[in-house]
Amino acid sequence: MGDADADRENREVVLMNKYGMHVRPAGLFAKAASRFKADIYVEKNGVVVSGKSIMALMTLEAVCGTPLILSAIGEQGTEALDELEGLIARKFDIPDEQ
Amino acid sequence: MGQEPDSFMSDIPQSKVTVPVITVRDFMDNAAGRFTMELVAGRDGLDKVIDEPVVHRPGLALSGFYDHFAAERIQVIGMAEYTFIQVMSEAERIACFKTMFDHNVPCIVFPGGNQIFPSVLKLAECYGVVVFKSPDLTRYFMMSAMVLLEELSSPRCKIHATMVDVSGMGVLLEGKSGLGKSETALGLIKRGHALVADDLTCVRRHGINHLVATSTETARDFMEIRGIGMLNIRQVFGVGAVRREKQIDLVLTLMRQSEVEHSLDRTGCEQLTRDFLGVQLPQRIIPVAPGRSLVNLAETAAQEQKLRMSGYVAVEELDKRILELHSKKEIGRG
């Protein structure tokens, strides 16, 4: 791992909620990500977007079953990834999408 | 101490650059509104990839000279080629096109409204080479096709930035989440400027040293403003407040004051550049601090860049004035 990646942590996840990354999940994800100091990025097939941006998350066009790579750079990175991974696993706590 | 100027924002992960693969079908489907073209034979070849997405006049090849023949390109049978094959015997003509099709050309086009020989159409059908006819004059067809092919095949990527057309200047606002890119864009829109893309901008190279920005289809016209939610800018402010695509003239990088510290040039002598897809764009680092009006700064930076592009650089004039004053004093003393 190069120096530039020294404080970067990656986590592979699979989107599990019924309708994928539409407005509501994107909003919940960005809100959760924004609580942490670390910069959060979400990658799908080489496209990397900010995990704190609802607009960008929606445009990923990630459907149920899409594998994503979450990465965090900086302070609180691990906590942020734990939280976000949990949110995805819990299908964003949206009742209709379990 | 802050970072070296050339590394501002370079620590941000970027999406991969893609260079689209163009098929004959892509070429056909996107022709609408640019030039007229009709498929007349070889439908089976529609999914053939155009390895070199440019147009080519086969000229010499038709006479049998195939050294360095650009077989990977779209072959255009212009008036010269057409006249040449017109005087051939039917057998010669068939042999001539057989040789060309054996080189596995992606497709051929007969512009200028010329009638296509039935024997050629039959041959193309056998070989699965798409043949198009176009009523457009060869030179116009060639120009329009080149522009389209370049647009379809140029390298592109998606970047975390907001794009606004500020009085005709394409301004790309980049910076980490929460620094105020979208709010700045909203302020600019309120002042009569137009939104191109919010938060995620698709960038495509145009020619060698230009970049064109556009929005994703999904997010077009929409913005997210904290405290308000999703806004449809076209609905709220009217069609004049949005723009489909715009060339990027200036990159404004928003950074926290604490991140830039005192490393910034304050005079405007240094022209920083930001690299996207191998194109160097003029860049300004805008330190974000309470009480700074980013809308004002963005608008003024755009106007200033416009002046620079026309050849006027304020700092140079000021320096010239000071130096002239100095030289007068020296003469006076002597």
Side-chain angles (χ1 to χ4, degrees):
Chain A
M1 215 196 268
D3 279 352
D5 292 337
D7 58 351
R8 176 171 178 165
E9 195 181 330
N10 290 339
R11 200 84 53 96
E12 285 176 30
V13 296
V14 176
L15 207 56
M16 297 304 291
N17 64 306
K18 198 168 164 189
Y19 302 117
M21 195 60 96
H22 60 104
V23 179
R24 202 156 134 68
L28 293 166
F29 189 98
K31 190 171 119 186
S34 300
R35 291 211 311 271
F36 300 94
K37 285 183 186 157
D39 295 324
I40 310 290
Y41 298 94
V42 181
E43 180 177 342
K44 181 198 141 190
N45 292 339
V47 176
V48 185
V49 301
S50 166
K52 296 183 181 182
S53 161
I54 301 178
M55 296 299 290
L57 287 168
M58 284 178 346
T59 54
L60 276 179
E61 292 168 20
V63 297
C64 179
T66 302
L68 300 170
I69 301 168
L70 312 181
S71 42
I73 300 174
E75 235 179 290
Q76 299 183 318
T78 308
E79 292 121 283
L81 291 182
D82 289 344
E83 172 74 26
L84 296 169
E85 194 179 8
L87 189 65
I88 286 175
R90 297 195 310 276
K91 304 177 186 177
F92 301 93
D93 300 319
I94 303 173
D96 294 348
E97 298 198 37
Q98 296 300 313
Chain B
M1 191 57 204
Q3 297 154 294
E4 288 302 307
D6 59 1
S7 69
F8 281 119
M9 299 298 289
S10 59
D11 54 335
I12 305 286
Q14 292 291 336
S15 292
K16 72 172 178 204
V17 174
T18 55
V19 182
V21 171
I22 307 299
T23 62
V24 177
R25 189 187 300 277
D26 296 326
F27 177 61
M28 179 178 78
D29 289 351
N30 288 283
R34 296 167 183 265
F35 48 89
T36 313
M37 195 171 76
E38 189 194 333
L39 186 147
V40 284
R43 185 167 285 278
D44 290 350
L46 272 178
D47 291 314
K48 211 178 269 182
V49 171
I50 307 169
D51 286 323
E52 273 183 48
V54 283
V55 284
H56 179 250
R57 295 276 298 265
L60 267 182
L62 294 179
S63 72
F65 187 76
Y66 272 91
D67 292 7
H68 303 286
F69 175 58
E72 305 79 9
R73 303 179 183 180
I74 294 172
Q75 306 298 323
V76 180
I77 310 296
M79 209 53 199
E81 287 88 354
Y82 188 77
T83 314
F84 183 72
I85 54 176
Q86 209 174 17
V87 297
M88 286 178 173
S89 72
E90 186 72 7
E92 282 173 329
R93 201 177 293 140
I94 290 171
C96 170
F97 276 90
K98 248 187 185 155
T99 317
M100 200 208 289
F101 293 165
D102 279 334
H103 281 80
N104 204 17
V105 296
C107 64
I108 60 172
V109 186
F110 286 78
N114 289 326
Q115 284 303 313
I116 308 171
F117 312 94
S119 55
V120 174
L121 292 178
K122 213 170 134 191
L123 200 64
E125 206 64 61
C126 290
Y127 273 82
V129 174
V130 181
V131 180
F132 295 108
K133 71 170 184 184
S134 168
D136 300 332
L137 287 177
T138 305
R139 61 175 183 278
Y140 295 132
F141 173 82
M142 298 270 287
M143 274 191 286
S144 311
M146 283 298 276
V147 172
L148 172 64
L149 289 165
E150 212 255 2
E151 265 181 45
L152 292 175
S153 65
S154 53
R156 57 204 61 207
C157 66
K158 288 176 178 167
I159 52 178
H160 182 208
T162 293
M163 176 78 189
V164 185
D165 174 353
V166 181
S167 306
M169 291 287 287
V171 177
L172 188 79
L173 295 157
E174 63 165 0
K176 290 180 177 171
S177 286
L179 281 180
K181 293 186 296 292
S182 298
E183 277 81 355
T184 307
L186 185 65
L188 290 167
I189 293 162
K190 283 288 282 175
R191 291 204 191 193
H193 305 298
L195 176 75
V196 178
D198 179 38
D199 232 15
L200 191 73
T201 299
C202 304
V203 176
R204 150 183 117 236
R205 199 164 75 198
H206 178 64
I208 297 168
N209 50 12
H210 290 107
L211 292 177
V212 175
T214 180
S215 155
T216 59
E217 292 294 330
T218 322
R220 178 157 296 133
D221 300 343
F222 277 87
M223 272 186 99
E224 186 237 339
I225 295 292
R226 263 154 242 199
I228 300 175
M230 291 298 166
L231 280 179
N232 183 328
I233 297 302
R234 181 191 284 266
Q235 295 294 334
V236 178
F237 300 103
V239 283
V242 290
R243 185 174 171 147
R244 201 177 171 86
E245 59 171 39
K246 178 80 186 94
Q247 182 177 309
I248 308 175
D249 297 300
L250 176 65
V251 178
L252 294 180
T253 303
L254 309 185
M255 293 189 92
R256 278 193 188 85
Q257 186 96 55
S258 57
E259 281 177 301
V260 268
E261 293 184 23
H262 303 294
S263 59
L264 276 188
D265 161 46
R266 286 175 46 176
T267 60
C269 293
E270 277 179 34
Q271 177 68 76
L272 299 179
T273 55
R274 177 86 165 96
D275 180 305
F276 291 113
L277 302 172
V279 178
Q280 302 292 329
L281 294 168
Q283 179 192 32
R284 303 240 156 249
I285 309 288
I286 307 288
V288 178
R292 300 201 89 200
S293 163
L294 291 177
V295 177
N296 257 335
L297 290 170
E299 202 172 34
T300 310
Q303 303 285 33
E304 209 273 338
Q305 188 61 33
K306 206 174 192 174
L307 272 177
R308 266 179 199 253
M309 282 162 64
S310 72
Y312 177 84
V313 183
V315 63
E316 282 173 9
E317 189 193 325
L318 183 63
D319 215 27
K320 208 171 123 198
R321 204 185 275 178
I322 295 169
L323 292 175
E324 264 171 25
L325 218 64
H326 288 184
S327 68
K328 271 180 201 156
K329 275 189 180 166
E330 272 165 26
I331 292 162
R333 201 188 297 151

